[in-house]
C-alpha cells in the first residue's frame, strides 16, 4: 500500500522518524489488529461472569498490554454480530485507542467531560471506570454521530451519562471551571486510520493537517475554560504528525502557563499491535481557583434551580408512577444520586455530581440526546419502562427474567422481534436475557412473552 501514500506524507514521516520510517511505512500492508474491551459494568455482575468467560473462548481473546479490559480478537469470530454485543458485554474498539482513558485515569464520583465523544469508545471506557458514580457529560458536535453515541451509551447500560450535541463554545459558555477531568479525543487528520479507511488517505494533505491543528487549538481553549483548577485535561489523536500532537501541546502550554504537561505517550503501529495513538495528559494548577469555592456553572445553575421548582414537583408525581412500577417489577432497583426530569412523555433520571451545582436548569437551551438514564414513558398516567432501564448496569433485578444461552432459539427469536413462550411464573413486565445479561423487556400474558425490544434494534 506504500505507493498509495501521499509523497508529502512519506517525507513527513521520514523526517520525523529517521531510520524508523522504513519499518513504520512497512507496517501499512500488514493486517490490522482488531480489538474489543470487556465492559466491566456488565461483566462484573455475578450472573454475567460466565458470559465474560465464554466470550474469551468464543472470540479467541488475547490481552492488550496497555488496557486491563482490552483484548485482541480473531476477526473471523465476528463478535459484533453476537448476542453478547447486543447485551453490551463489550465494545469493539481499536486497541491503541484504549490507551487514552487508561492514562486519563477517571475515578468514581468525579465530574467528567468527553468533549468529542462519538461513537463512544472512550465514553464507555470512562463510564466503566466511574462505576456509575458521578456525572459524565459525553458530547458530540455532529447530530448523526451524537445519535450513535447515545445508542452506545444505552447498550452499555451507562446510568450516569448525559449525552449532548453541542459545539465546544456552547459548552464553555455555561460550564466554567466545572469538570474534574476532560478528555479531548480531537478531530484530526487520521493518519492512524490509513490502514482501516483508505478514504482517510485521499483526504490527507499537509494543508489539512494545519487546518486540523488550528481547529484543535480552538477546541483546547474551550476545554481550558471548562476544567477546574487542579483538574486534568487529556488530549489524544489517532494521527502521527507533530503539528497536531507535540506542537499543538507546546502552543497550548505557551498560552496557558497554568497548565503543566504531566505525560505524553505514543503508540506506533510498527512497535505494537495497533494502529497508533498520541496521548498527552495536562494538569491545571490548583492556585487561582474560584475564591468563592463555587464555579461559575454552579452559581448559574444554583440560581436557575430555584426557578425550576415547578418542574421538579411535576417530577415527584412521575416518580410515584415509576416507584409503583419498581415495586411490581424491579423490587430492589436503586437509583444513584440524581433528580427526575421530564422531556415530553419521557422520564429520565438526571445524574447529579457529589458537590451539586448541577441540575435540569444547567441543560436549558442545549441540544440534549440523553439527559441521564431513561426510565420510561408516561402516557395517560401509565408508566412504560424504557429500553435503557432494562440495559442499565448492574442489571436491574426483575420479578421474572427468562435467560438463555447465546445459541438458544429464543435468543434469535427475541432479537428478531418475535414473541417467545412464557415460563411458568412469568406475568407482566420482565426481562429477556442472554446468560444473565438483559437484552430488553418482555411482557408476559397468556403463555406468551410480547417482544418490547425497540424496532430499530431488532436483527434483520
Ligand atoms: N472519542 C471518540 C471515540 O473514542 O469513540 C472518537 C472521537 S473522533 C476522534 C473526533 C470527534 O470529534 C468526531 O466524532 C467529530 O465529529 C468530532 N468533531 C468534529 N469537529 C469538531 C469540533 N469542531 N468540535 C468538537 N468536536 C468535533
Amino acid at each position: 500500500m506504500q505507493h498509495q501514500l501521499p509523497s508529502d506524507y512519506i517525507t513527513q514521516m521520514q523526517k520525523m522518524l529517521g531510520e524508523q520510517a522504513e519499518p513504520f511505512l512497512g507496517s501499512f500492508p500488514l493486517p490490522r489488529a482488531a480489538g474489543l474491551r470487556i465492559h466491566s459494568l456488565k461483566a462484573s455482575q455475578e450472573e454475567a461472569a460466565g458470559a465474560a468467560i465464554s466470550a474469551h473462548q468464543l472470540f479467541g481473546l488475547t490481552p492488550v498490554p496497555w488496557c486491563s479490559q482490552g483484548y485482541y480478537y480473531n476477526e473471523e469470530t465476528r463478535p459484533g454480530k453476537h448476542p453478547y454485543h447486543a447485551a453490551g458485554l463489550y465494545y469493539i474498539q481499536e486497541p491503541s485507542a484504549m490507551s487514552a482513558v487508561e492514562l486519563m485515569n477517571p475515578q468514581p464520583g468525579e465530574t467528567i467531560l468527553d468533549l468529542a465523544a462519538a461513537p463512544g469508545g472512550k465514553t464507555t471506557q470512562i463510564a466503566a471506570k466511574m462505576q456509575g458514580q458521578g456525572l459524565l457529560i459525553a458530547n458530540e458536535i455532529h447530530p448523526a454521530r451524537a445519535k450513535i453515541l447515545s445508542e452506545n451509551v444505552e447498550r452499555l447500560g451507562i446510568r450516569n451519562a448525559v449525552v449532548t450535541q453541542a459545539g465546544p463554545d456552547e459548552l464553555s459558555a455555561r460550564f466554567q471551571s466545572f469538570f474534574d477531568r476532560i478528555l479531548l479525543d480531537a478531530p484530526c487528520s487520521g493518519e492512524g486510520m490509513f490502514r482501516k479507511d483508505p478514504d482517510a488517505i485521499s483526504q490527507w494533505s499537509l494543508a489539512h493537517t494545519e487546518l486540523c491543528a488550528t481547529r484543535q487549538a480552538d477546541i483546547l481553549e474551550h476545554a481550558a475554560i471548562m476544567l477546574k483548577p487542579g483538574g486534568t485535561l487529556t488530549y489524544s489523536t489517532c494521527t502521527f504528525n507533530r503539528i497536531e500532537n507535540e506542537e499543538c501541546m507546546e502552543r497550548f502550554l505557551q498560552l496557558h502557563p497554568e497548565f503543566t504537561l504531566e505525560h505524553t505517550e505514543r503508540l506506533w503501529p510498527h512497535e505494537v499491535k495497533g494502529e497508533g495513538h498520541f496521548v498527552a495528559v495536562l494538569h491545571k494548577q490548583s492556585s487561582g481557583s474560584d475564591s468563592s469555592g463555587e464555579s461559575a456553572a454552579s452559581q448559574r445553575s444554583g440560581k436557575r434551580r430555584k426557578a425550576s421548582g415547578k418542574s421538579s414537583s411535576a417530577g415527584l408525581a412521575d416518580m410515584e408512577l415509576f416507584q409503583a412500577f419498581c415495586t411490581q417489577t424491579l423490587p430492589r432497583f436503586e437509583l444513584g444520586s440524581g433528580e427526575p426530569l421530564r422531556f415530553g412523555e419521557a422520564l429520565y433520571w438526571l445524574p447529579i455530581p457529589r458537590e451539586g451545582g448541577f441540575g435540569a436548569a444547567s441543560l436549558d437551551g442545549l441540544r440534549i440526546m440523553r439527559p441521564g438514564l431513561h426510565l420510561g414513558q408516561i402516557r395517560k398516567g401509565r408508566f412504560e419502562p424504557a429500553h435503557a432501564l432494562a440495559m442499565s448496569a448492574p442489571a436491574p433485578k426483575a420479578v421474572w427474567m427468562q435467560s438463555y444461552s447465546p445459541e438458544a432459539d429464543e435468543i434469535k427469536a427475541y432479537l428478531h422481534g418475535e414473541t417467545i413462550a412464557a415460563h411458568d411464573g412469568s406475568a407482566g413486565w420482565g426481562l429477556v436475557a442472554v446468560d444473565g445479561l438483559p437484552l430488553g423487556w418482555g411482557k408476559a400474558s397468556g403463555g406468551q412473552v410480547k417482544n418490547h425490544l425497540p424496532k430499530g434494534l431488532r436483527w434483520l
Side-chain angles (χ1 to χ4, degrees), residues 91 93 97 114-123 139-142 145 166-168 183-188 215 218-219 236-238:
Y91 185 96
Q93 187 178 25
D114 186 357
L115 184 47
K122 295 183 178 87
T123 288
N139 179 66
E140 168 57 42
I141 195 167
H142 289 299
R145 289 178 63 81
L183 173 67
L184 172 56
D185 186 33
C188 67
R215 182 170 57 186
D218 179 54
I219 305 174
S236 59
T237 73
C238 65

PDB file of all heavy atoms in Angstrom, residues 91 93 97 114-123 139-142 145 166-168 183-188 215 218-219 236-238, ligand 1:
ATOM      1  N   TYR A  91     -17.350  -3.584  24.010  1.00  0.00           N
ATOM      2  CA  TYR A  91     -17.380  -2.521  22.999  1.00  0.00           C
ATOM      3  C   TYR A  91     -16.221  -2.795  22.042  1.00  0.00           C
ATOM      4  O   TYR A  91     -15.093  -3.025  22.491  1.00  0.00           O
ATOM      5  CB  TYR A  91     -17.203  -1.154  23.686  1.00  0.00           C
ATOM      6  CG  TYR A  91     -17.352   0.003  22.724  1.00  0.00           C
ATOM      7  CD1 TYR A  91     -18.570   0.671  22.596  1.00  0.00           C
ATOM      8  CD2 TYR A  91     -16.283   0.421  21.930  1.00  0.00           C
ATOM      9  CE1 TYR A  91     -18.723   1.728  21.703  1.00  0.00           C
ATOM     10  CE2 TYR A  91     -16.432   1.466  21.031  1.00  0.00           C
ATOM     11  CZ  TYR A  91     -17.650   2.116  20.930  1.00  0.00           C
ATOM     12  OH  TYR A  91     -17.807   3.159  20.042  1.00  0.00           O
ATOM     13  N   GLN A  93     -13.379  -1.830  19.874  1.00  0.00           N
ATOM     14  CA  GLN A  93     -12.566  -0.603  19.908  1.00  0.00           C
ATOM     15  C   GLN A  93     -11.160  -0.910  19.418  1.00  0.00           C
ATOM     16  O   GLN A  93     -10.560  -1.929  19.804  1.00  0.00           O
ATOM     17  CB  GLN A  93     -12.518  -0.091  21.363  1.00  0.00           C
ATOM     18  CG  GLN A  93     -11.857   1.251  21.545  1.00  0.00           C
ATOM     19  CD  GLN A  93     -11.889   1.721  23.005  1.00  0.00           C
ATOM     20  OE1 GLN A  93     -11.977   0.915  23.932  1.00  0.00           O
ATOM     21  NE2 GLN A  93     -11.811   3.015  23.202  1.00  0.00           N
ATOM     22  N   ALA A  97      -6.470   2.899  20.679  1.00  0.00           N
ATOM     23  CA  ALA A  97      -7.379   3.941  21.175  1.00  0.00           C
ATOM     24  C   ALA A  97      -7.746   3.705  22.643  1.00  0.00           C
ATOM     25  O   ALA A  97      -8.235   4.610  23.310  1.00  0.00           O
ATOM     26  CB  ALA A  97      -8.645   3.986  20.322  1.00  0.00           C
ATOM     27  N   ASP A 114     -16.400  14.325  28.192  1.00  0.00           N
ATOM     28  CA  ASP A 114     -15.767  13.771  26.993  1.00  0.00           C
ATOM     29  C   ASP A 114     -16.253  14.666  25.857  1.00  0.00           C
ATOM     30  O   ASP A 114     -17.402  14.590  25.432  1.00  0.00           O
ATOM     31  CB  ASP A 114     -16.212  12.313  26.809  1.00  0.00           C
ATOM     32  CG  ASP A 114     -15.468  11.637  25.661  1.00  0.00           C
ATOM     33  OD1 ASP A 114     -14.674  12.316  24.994  1.00  0.00           O
ATOM     34  OD2 ASP A 114     -15.686  10.428  25.445  1.00  0.00           O
ATOM     35  N   LEU A 115     -15.359  15.545  25.404  1.00  0.00           N
ATOM     36  CA  LEU A 115     -15.779  16.689  24.581  1.00  0.00           C
ATOM     37  C   LEU A 115     -16.043  16.326  23.119  1.00  0.00           C
ATOM     38  O   LEU A 115     -16.841  16.986  22.449  1.00  0.00           O
ATOM     39  CB  LEU A 115     -14.690  17.770  24.704  1.00  0.00           C
ATOM     40  CG  LEU A 115     -14.854  19.118  24.057  1.00  0.00           C
ATOM     41  CD1 LEU A 115     -16.209  19.733  24.324  1.00  0.00           C
ATOM     42  CD2 LEU A 115     -13.766  20.071  24.554  1.00  0.00           C
ATOM     43  N   ALA A 116     -15.374  15.328  22.595  1.00  0.00           N
ATOM     44  CA  ALA A 116     -15.570  14.912  21.196  1.00  0.00           C
ATOM     45  C   ALA A 116     -15.758  13.390  21.227  1.00  0.00           C
ATOM     46  O   ALA A 116     -14.834  12.625  21.009  1.00  0.00           O
ATOM     47  CB  ALA A 116     -14.364  15.304  20.349  1.00  0.00           C
ATOM     48  N   ALA A 117     -16.981  12.960  21.523  1.00  0.00           N
ATOM     49  CA  ALA A 117     -17.158  11.616  22.096  1.00  0.00           C
ATOM     50  C   ALA A 117     -17.631  10.519  21.141  1.00  0.00           C
ATOM     51  O   ALA A 117     -17.501   9.340  21.462  1.00  0.00           O
ATOM     52  CB  ALA A 117     -18.115  11.697  23.272  1.00  0.00           C
ATOM     53  N   ALA A 118     -18.219  10.852  19.994  1.00  0.00           N
ATOM     54  CA  ALA A 118     -18.815   9.798  19.143  1.00  0.00           C
ATOM     55  C   ALA A 118     -17.727   9.032  18.399  1.00  0.00           C
ATOM     56  O   ALA A 118     -16.715   9.610  18.013  1.00  0.00           O
ATOM     57  CB  ALA A 118     -19.767  10.423  18.141  1.00  0.00           C
ATOM     58  N   PRO A 119     -17.918   7.723  18.196  1.00  0.00           N
ATOM     59  CA  PRO A 119     -19.111   6.930  18.513  1.00  0.00           C
ATOM     60  C   PRO A 119     -19.213   6.455  19.957  1.00  0.00           C
ATOM     61  O   PRO A 119     -20.228   5.876  20.323  1.00  0.00           O
ATOM     62  CB  PRO A 119     -18.986   5.734  17.562  1.00  0.00           C
ATOM     63  CG  PRO A 119     -17.514   5.583  17.344  1.00  0.00           C
ATOM     64  CD  PRO A 119     -16.938   6.971  17.380  1.00  0.00           C
ATOM     65  N   GLY A 120     -18.183   6.676  20.779  1.00  0.00           N
ATOM     66  CA  GLY A 120     -18.372   6.378  22.187  1.00  0.00           C
ATOM     67  C   GLY A 120     -17.393   5.401  22.791  1.00  0.00           C
ATOM     68  O   GLY A 120     -17.569   4.975  23.929  1.00  0.00           O
ATOM     69  N   GLY A 121     -16.341   5.030  22.059  1.00  0.00           N
ATOM     70  CA  GLY A 121     -15.357   4.081  22.605  1.00  0.00           C
ATOM     71  C   GLY A 121     -14.810   4.578  23.931  1.00  0.00           C
ATOM     72  O   GLY A 121     -14.779   3.853  24.931  1.00  0.00           O
ATOM     73  N   LYS A 122     -14.390   5.836  23.933  1.00  0.00           N
ATOM     74  CA  LYS A 122     -13.728   6.349  25.147  1.00  0.00           C
ATOM     75  C   LYS A 122     -14.773   6.725  26.198  1.00  0.00           C
ATOM     76  O   LYS A 122     -14.527   6.567  27.391  1.00  0.00           O
ATOM     77  CB  LYS A 122     -12.806   7.499  24.773  1.00  0.00           C
ATOM     78  CG  LYS A 122     -11.650   6.996  23.886  1.00  0.00           C
ATOM     79  CD  LYS A 122     -10.653   8.048  23.521  1.00  0.00           C
ATOM     80  CE  LYS A 122      -9.512   7.491  22.684  1.00  0.00           C
ATOM     81  NZ  LYS A 122      -9.767   7.457  21.250  1.00  0.00           N
ATOM     82  N   THR A 123     -15.942   7.200  25.784  1.00  0.00           N
ATOM     83  CA  THR A 123     -17.008   7.494  26.757  1.00  0.00           C
ATOM     84  C   THR A 123     -17.359   6.243  27.556  1.00  0.00           C
ATOM     85  O   THR A 123     -17.470   6.281  28.789  1.00  0.00           O
ATOM     86  CB  THR A 123     -18.285   7.974  26.016  1.00  0.00           C
ATOM     87  OG1 THR A 123     -18.054   9.277  25.507  1.00  0.00           O
ATOM     88  CG2 THR A 123     -19.485   8.017  26.935  1.00  0.00           C
ATOM     89  N   ASN A 139     -20.192  14.532  24.822  1.00  0.00           N
ATOM     90  CA  ASN A 139     -20.656  15.496  23.825  1.00  0.00           C
ATOM     91  C   ASN A 139     -20.149  15.148  22.433  1.00  0.00           C
ATOM     92  O   ASN A 139     -19.014  14.710  22.271  1.00  0.00           O
ATOM     93  CB  ASN A 139     -20.142  16.897  24.194  1.00  0.00           C
ATOM     94  CG  ASN A 139     -20.572  17.919  23.168  1.00  0.00           C
ATOM     95  OD1 ASN A 139     -21.761  18.202  23.030  1.00  0.00           O
ATOM     96  ND2 ASN A 139     -19.624  18.449  22.408  1.00  0.00           N
ATOM     97  N   GLU A 140     -21.006  15.359  21.453  1.00  0.00           N
ATOM     98  CA  GLU A 140     -20.606  15.174  20.056  1.00  0.00           C
ATOM     99  C   GLU A 140     -21.279  16.260  19.224  1.00  0.00           C
ATOM    100  O   GLU A 140     -22.496  16.445  19.303  1.00  0.00           O
ATOM    101  CB  GLU A 140     -21.012  13.779  19.560  1.00  0.00           C
ATOM    102  CG  GLU A 140     -20.921  13.579  18.066  1.00  0.00           C
ATOM    103  CD  GLU A 140     -19.534  13.839  17.463  1.00  0.00           C
ATOM    104  OE1 GLU A 140     -18.517  13.431  18.048  1.00  0.00           O
ATOM    105  OE2 GLU A 140     -19.475  14.482  16.390  1.00  0.00           O
ATOM    106  N   ILE A 141     -20.479  16.942  18.409  1.00  0.00           N
ATOM    107  CA  ILE A 141     -20.996  18.103  17.664  1.00  0.00           C
ATOM    108  C   ILE A 141     -21.906  17.691  16.505  1.00  0.00           C
ATOM    109  O   ILE A 141     -22.866  18.391  16.194  1.00  0.00           O
ATOM    110  CB  ILE A 141     -19.809  18.986  17.181  1.00  0.00           C
ATOM    111  CG1 ILE A 141     -20.290  20.369  16.737  1.00  0.00           C
ATOM    112  CG2 ILE A 141     -19.025  18.299  16.081  1.00  0.00           C
ATOM    113  CD1 ILE A 141     -19.163  21.373  16.541  1.00  0.00           C
ATOM    114  N   HIS A 142     -21.643  16.548  15.865  1.00  0.00           N
ATOM    115  CA  HIS A 142     -22.410  16.171  14.675  1.00  0.00           C
ATOM    116  C   HIS A 142     -23.645  15.366  15.050  1.00  0.00           C
ATOM    117  O   HIS A 142     -23.539  14.326  15.701  1.00  0.00           O
ATOM    118  CB  HIS A 142     -21.546  15.374  13.692  1.00  0.00           C
ATOM    119  CG  HIS A 142     -20.521  16.241  13.022  1.00  0.00           C
ATOM    120  ND1 HIS A 142     -20.875  17.303  12.239  1.00  0.00           N
ATOM    121  CD2 HIS A 142     -19.180  16.218  13.062  1.00  0.00           C
ATOM    122  CE1 HIS A 142     -19.780  17.911  11.804  1.00  0.00           C
ATOM    123  NE2 HIS A 142     -18.743  17.274  12.299  1.00  0.00           N
ATOM    124  N   ARG A 145     -23.783  11.502  14.423  1.00  0.00           N
ATOM    125  CA  ARG A 145     -22.806  10.790  15.268  1.00  0.00           C
ATOM    126  C   ARG A 145     -23.234  10.834  16.738  1.00  0.00           C
ATOM    127  O   ARG A 145     -22.991   9.902  17.492  1.00  0.00           O
ATOM    128  CB  ARG A 145     -21.407  11.393  15.070  1.00  0.00           C
ATOM    129  CG  ARG A 145     -20.824  11.052  13.693  1.00  0.00           C
ATOM    130  CD  ARG A 145     -19.463  11.696  13.473  1.00  0.00           C
ATOM    131  NE  ARG A 145     -18.428  11.261  14.375  1.00  0.00           N
ATOM    132  CZ  ARG A 145     -17.719  10.143  14.259  1.00  0.00           C
ATOM    133  NH1 ARG A 145     -17.935   9.339  13.241  1.00  0.00           N
ATOM    134  NH2 ARG A 145     -16.777   9.834  15.130  1.00  0.00           N
ATOM    135  N   ALA A 166     -23.433  19.467  21.086  1.00  0.00           N
ATOM    136  CA  ALA A 166     -23.148  20.902  21.154  1.00  0.00           C
ATOM    137  C   ALA A 166     -21.754  21.195  20.630  1.00  0.00           C
ATOM    138  O   ALA A 166     -20.890  20.313  20.574  1.00  0.00           O
ATOM    139  CB  ALA A 166     -23.250  21.364  22.610  1.00  0.00           C
ATOM    140  N   GLY A 167     -21.552  22.462  20.267  1.00  0.00           N
ATOM    141  CA  GLY A 167     -20.211  22.914  19.919  1.00  0.00           C
ATOM    142  C   GLY A 167     -19.458  23.185  21.211  1.00  0.00           C
ATOM    143  O   GLY A 167     -20.074  23.515  22.227  1.00  0.00           O
ATOM    144  N   PRO A 168     -18.121  23.056  21.183  1.00  0.00           N
ATOM    145  CA  PRO A 168     -17.343  23.334  22.398  1.00  0.00           C
ATOM    146  C   PRO A 168     -17.627  24.723  22.969  1.00  0.00           C
ATOM    147  O   PRO A 168     -17.632  24.909  24.185  1.00  0.00           O
ATOM    148  CB  PRO A 168     -15.891  23.220  21.909  1.00  0.00           C
ATOM    149  CG  PRO A 168     -15.957  22.307  20.730  1.00  0.00           C
ATOM    150  CD  PRO A 168     -17.274  22.573  20.070  1.00  0.00           C
ATOM    151  N   LEU A 183     -11.656  14.930  28.621  1.00  0.00           N
ATOM    152  CA  LEU A 183     -10.961  14.246  27.534  1.00  0.00           C
ATOM    153  C   LEU A 183     -11.285  14.971  26.240  1.00  0.00           C
ATOM    154  O   LEU A 183     -12.463  15.189  25.928  1.00  0.00           O
ATOM    155  CB  LEU A 183     -11.433  12.788  27.425  1.00  0.00           C
ATOM    156  CG  LEU A 183     -10.883  12.030  26.204  1.00  0.00           C
ATOM    157  CD1 LEU A 183      -9.371  11.827  26.303  1.00  0.00           C
ATOM    158  CD2 LEU A 183     -11.567  10.665  26.053  1.00  0.00           C
ATOM    159  N   LEU A 184     -10.233  15.357  25.511  1.00  0.00           N
ATOM    160  CA  LEU A 184     -10.441  15.832  24.146  1.00  0.00           C
ATOM    161  C   LEU A 184      -9.753  14.845  23.213  1.00  0.00           C
ATOM    162  O   LEU A 184      -8.525  14.864  23.049  1.00  0.00           O
ATOM    163  CB  LEU A 184      -9.882  17.252  23.948  1.00  0.00           C
ATOM    164  CG  LEU A 184      -9.898  17.729  22.483  1.00  0.00           C
ATOM    165  CD1 LEU A 184     -11.305  17.657  21.883  1.00  0.00           C
ATOM    166  CD2 LEU A 184      -9.332  19.128  22.342  1.00  0.00           C
ATOM    167  N   ASP A 185     -10.554  13.951  22.652  1.00  0.00           N
ATOM    168  CA  ASP A 185     -10.070  13.000  21.642  1.00  0.00           C
ATOM    169  C   ASP A 185     -10.361  13.707  20.320  1.00  0.00           C
ATOM    170  O   ASP A 185     -11.428  13.568  19.739  1.00  0.00           O
ATOM    171  CB  ASP A 185     -10.850  11.686  21.781  1.00  0.00           C
ATOM    172  CG  ASP A 185     -10.311  10.610  20.874  1.00  0.00           C
ATOM    173  OD1 ASP A 185      -9.096  10.582  20.636  1.00  0.00           O
ATOM    174  OD2 ASP A 185     -11.114   9.774  20.413  1.00  0.00           O
ATOM    175  N   ALA A 186      -9.385  14.479  19.887  1.00  0.00           N
ATOM    176  CA  ALA A 186      -9.660  15.547  18.922  1.00  0.00           C
ATOM    177  C   ALA A 186      -9.928  15.041  17.503  1.00  0.00           C
ATOM    178  O   ALA A 186      -9.339  14.043  17.067  1.00  0.00           O
ATOM    179  CB  ALA A 186      -8.469  16.491  18.900  1.00  0.00           C
ATOM    180  N   PRO A 187     -10.806  15.777  16.776  1.00  0.00           N
ATOM    181  CA  PRO A 187     -10.914  15.504  15.336  1.00  0.00           C
ATOM    182  C   PRO A 187      -9.543  15.811  14.727  1.00  0.00           C
ATOM    183  O   PRO A 187      -8.943  16.840  15.033  1.00  0.00           O
ATOM    184  CB  PRO A 187     -11.977  16.509  14.870  1.00  0.00           C
ATOM    185  CG  PRO A 187     -12.035  17.574  15.917  1.00  0.00           C
ATOM    186  CD  PRO A 187     -11.609  16.932  17.201  1.00  0.00           C
ATOM    187  N   CYS A 188      -9.029  14.908  13.913  1.00  0.00           N
ATOM    188  CA  CYS A 188      -7.641  15.045  13.442  1.00  0.00           C
ATOM    189  C   CYS A 188      -7.544  14.564  11.992  1.00  0.00           C
ATOM    190  O   CYS A 188      -8.530  14.120  11.403  1.00  0.00           O
ATOM    191  CB  CYS A 188      -6.701  14.249  14.342  1.00  0.00           C
ATOM    192  SG  CYS A 188      -6.933  12.457  14.236  1.00  0.00           S
ATOM    193  N   ARG A 215      -8.004  23.912  14.347  1.00  0.00           N
ATOM    194  CA  ARG A 215      -9.267  23.531  14.992  1.00  0.00           C
ATOM    195  C   ARG A 215      -9.011  22.931  16.382  1.00  0.00           C
ATOM    196  O   ARG A 215      -9.720  23.231  17.344  1.00  0.00           O
ATOM    197  CB  ARG A 215     -10.006  22.519  14.101  1.00  0.00           C
ATOM    198  CG  ARG A 215     -11.341  22.089  14.652  1.00  0.00           C
ATOM    199  CD  ARG A 215     -12.132  21.307  13.646  1.00  0.00           C
ATOM    200  NE  ARG A 215     -11.403  20.144  13.171  1.00  0.00           N
ATOM    201  CZ  ARG A 215     -11.811  19.328  12.202  1.00  0.00           C
ATOM    202  NH1 ARG A 215     -12.945  19.560  11.578  1.00  0.00           N
ATOM    203  NH2 ARG A 215     -11.097  18.289  11.826  1.00  0.00           N
ATOM    204  N   ASP A 218      -8.322  25.619  18.837  1.00  0.00           N
ATOM    205  CA  ASP A 218      -9.568  26.310  19.185  1.00  0.00           C
ATOM    206  C   ASP A 218     -10.361  25.494  20.222  1.00  0.00           C
ATOM    207  O   ASP A 218     -10.824  26.031  21.239  1.00  0.00           O
ATOM    208  CB  ASP A 218     -10.381  26.521  17.894  1.00  0.00           C
ATOM    209  CG  ASP A 218     -11.684  27.218  18.188  1.00  0.00           C
ATOM    210  OD1 ASP A 218     -11.638  28.288  18.812  1.00  0.00           O
ATOM    211  OD2 ASP A 218     -12.747  26.662  17.819  1.00  0.00           O
ATOM    212  N   ILE A 219     -10.504  24.195  19.990  1.00  0.00           N
ATOM    213  CA  ILE A 219     -11.287  23.361  20.929  1.00  0.00           C
ATOM    214  C   ILE A 219     -10.578  23.310  22.289  1.00  0.00           C
ATOM    215  O   ILE A 219     -11.224  23.341  23.341  1.00  0.00           O
ATOM    216  CB  ILE A 219     -11.508  21.930  20.367  1.00  0.00           C
ATOM    217  CG1 ILE A 219     -12.168  21.974  18.983  1.00  0.00           C
ATOM    218  CG2 ILE A 219     -12.398  21.123  21.312  1.00  0.00           C
ATOM    219  CD1 ILE A 219     -12.284  20.614  18.294  1.00  0.00           C
ATOM    220  N   SER A 236      -5.921  13.579  22.983  1.00  0.00           N
ATOM    221  CA  SER A 236      -5.441  12.440  22.195  1.00  0.00           C
ATOM    222  C   SER A 236      -5.818  12.607  20.730  1.00  0.00           C
ATOM    223  O   SER A 236      -6.774  13.328  20.398  1.00  0.00           O
ATOM    224  CB  SER A 236      -6.018  11.123  22.740  1.00  0.00           C
ATOM    225  OG  SER A 236      -7.421  11.149  22.708  1.00  0.00           O
ATOM    226  N   THR A 237      -5.042  11.956  19.871  1.00  0.00           N
ATOM    227  CA  THR A 237      -5.367  11.910  18.435  1.00  0.00           C
ATOM    228  C   THR A 237      -4.964  10.535  17.904  1.00  0.00           C
ATOM    229  O   THR A 237      -4.158   9.828  18.523  1.00  0.00           O
ATOM    230  CB  THR A 237      -4.586  12.952  17.584  1.00  0.00           C
ATOM    231  OG1 THR A 237      -3.225  12.525  17.478  1.00  0.00           O
ATOM    232  CG2 THR A 237      -4.652  14.353  18.160  1.00  0.00           C
ATOM    233  N   CYS A 238      -5.521  10.208  16.725  1.00  0.00           N
ATOM    234  CA  CYS A 238      -5.063   8.985  16.049  1.00  0.00           C
ATOM    235  C   CYS A 238      -4.270   9.394  14.812  1.00  0.00           C
ATOM    236  O   CYS A 238      -4.374   8.775  13.766  1.00  0.00           O
ATOM    237  CB  CYS A 238      -6.249   8.092  15.690  1.00  0.00           C
ATOM    238  SG  CYS A 238      -7.353   8.818  14.478  1.00  0.00           S
TER     239      CYS A 238
HETATM  240  N1  LIG B   1     -13.721   9.745  21.195  1.00  0.00           N
HETATM  241  C1  LIG B   1     -14.392   9.018  20.150  1.00  0.00           C
HETATM  242  C2  LIG B   1     -14.367   7.538  20.451  1.00  0.00           C
HETATM  243  O1  LIG B   1     -13.452   7.100  21.174  1.00  0.00           O
HETATM  244  O2  LIG B   1     -15.249   6.798  20.019  1.00  0.00           O
HETATM  245  C3  LIG B   1     -13.811   9.362  18.794  1.00  0.00           C
HETATM  246  C4  LIG B   1     -13.835  10.838  18.519  1.00  0.00           C
HETATM  247  S1  LIG B   1     -13.272  11.299  16.925  1.00  0.00           S
HETATM  248  C5  LIG B   1     -11.569  11.076  17.013  1.00  0.00           C
HETATM  249  C6  LIG B   1     -13.428  13.029  16.979  1.00  0.00           C
HETATM  250  C7  LIG B   1     -14.842  13.562  17.019  1.00  0.00           C
HETATM  251  O3  LIG B   1     -14.780  14.996  17.013  1.00  0.00           O
HETATM  252  C8  LIG B   1     -15.703  13.170  15.823  1.00  0.00           C
HETATM  253  O4  LIG B   1     -16.835  12.455  16.268  1.00  0.00           O
HETATM  254  C9  LIG B   1     -16.091  14.501  15.198  1.00  0.00           C
HETATM  255  O5  LIG B   1     -17.432  14.505  14.732  1.00  0.00           O
HETATM  256  C10 LIG B   1     -15.913  15.472  16.330  1.00  0.00           C
HETATM  257  N2  LIG B   1     -15.684  16.880  15.884  1.00  0.00           N
HETATM  258  C11 LIG B   1     -15.508  17.331  14.631  1.00  0.00           C
HETATM  259  N3  LIG B   1     -15.354  18.654  14.618  1.00  0.00           N
HETATM  260  C12 LIG B   1     -15.451  19.076  15.888  1.00  0.00           C
HETATM  261  C13 LIG B   1     -15.402  20.347  16.525  1.00  0.00           C
HETATM  262  N4  LIG B   1     -15.194  21.461  15.836  1.00  0.00           N
HETATM  263  N5  LIG B   1     -15.573  20.377  17.849  1.00  0.00           N
HETATM  264  C14 LIG B   1     -15.770  19.250  18.563  1.00  0.00           C
HETATM  265  N6  LIG B   1     -15.807  18.030  18.019  1.00  0.00           N
HETATM  266  C15 LIG B   1     -15.666  17.936  16.705  1.00  0.00           C
END
